[in-house]
Amino acid sequence: MRELEEKILAEGRAVSEDILKVDSFINHQVEPALMKRMGEAFAAHFEGRGITKVVTIESSGITPALMTALALDVPMIIFKKQPSKILNDDLYQTVVTSYTKETSYELTLSKKYISENDHVLIIDDFLANGEAATGVLRLLRKAHATVAGFGVLIEKSFQPGRAKLEEQGIDVYALARIGKMSAGHIEFLPEK
Ligand code: 5GP
């Protein structure tokens, strides 16, 4: 998506060769009109696939997921990060290793909100190593739901996330794909 690429070039900041800060329009301050257009782009790409729910992980996935769910006119579900390992029969739980924070967290989903009747679209802000998305897939499998695809605002294509998801048969769609970056320099790959 040209508009997102231009925004990343104007306001994104590569703090190293593998971490991009986009705090001024995605992760800290949010630009609603751009988010709305990005949600509509996901909805247009995945339209007609029988999606019943859009899911995401708190917190940065919530805004793009909400805009996508609004455009598809389906509910959105937030998978929660919980620090403790308290077992709870009402929840599906799995451990995920966080890319940016180098820590692990418990990802949880209430059994109430996803069932075997659901065909789910996963939305997130970044795709790096694919750990967060793989955690979501584990929980969706526990719930016996099927997966329509994974939509992400920014894919760092030099990291293995896309390959990991495609190996599991997941259709990955990224609005911006970064092939290479370093301080002051960002190169994009064609959208896919
Ligand atoms: P993964 O699980 O694919 O390794 O990492 C995805 C998660 O880590 C995303 O949900 C995002 O929150 C965070 N993340 C990964 N890479 C970056 C990055 O370069 N910048 C920011 N702001 N977040 C990132």
Side-chain angles (χ1 to χ4, degrees), residues 136-150:
V136 172
L137 289 172
R138 280 197 297 275
L139 294 187
L140 292 174
R141 255 181 245 123
K142 287 184 196 215
H144 302 288
T146 52
V147 177
F150 177 79

Side-chain angles (χ1 to χ4, degrees), residues 52-121:
T52 60
K53 281 171 190 160
V54 173
V55 310
T56 192
I57 298 181
E58 65 179 353
S59 56
S60 296
I62 295 174
T63 357
L66 179 65
M67 291 303 176
T68 309
L70 185 65
L72 288 169
D73 195 21
V74 296
M76 181 210 37
I77 292 154
I78 304 160
F79 285 32
K80 297 188 173 255
K81 294 173 182 170
Q82 295 191 344
S84 75
K85 289 201 169 181
I86 300 163
L87 286 176
N88 183 332
D89 282 349
D90 301 328
L91 299 176
Y92 296 115
Q93 295 177 293
T94 191
V95 174
V96 172
T97 304
S98 163
Y99 180 80
T100 40
K101 302 197 178 77
E102 291 177 353
T103 52
S104 293
Y105 58 86
E106 194 87 16
L107 191 66
T108 69
L109 162 67
S110 166
K111 292 183 179 175
K112 273 191 275 190
Y113 300 123
I114 299 276
S115 75
E116 71 274 13
N117 299 320
D118 282 311
H119 193 50
V120 174
L121 174 62

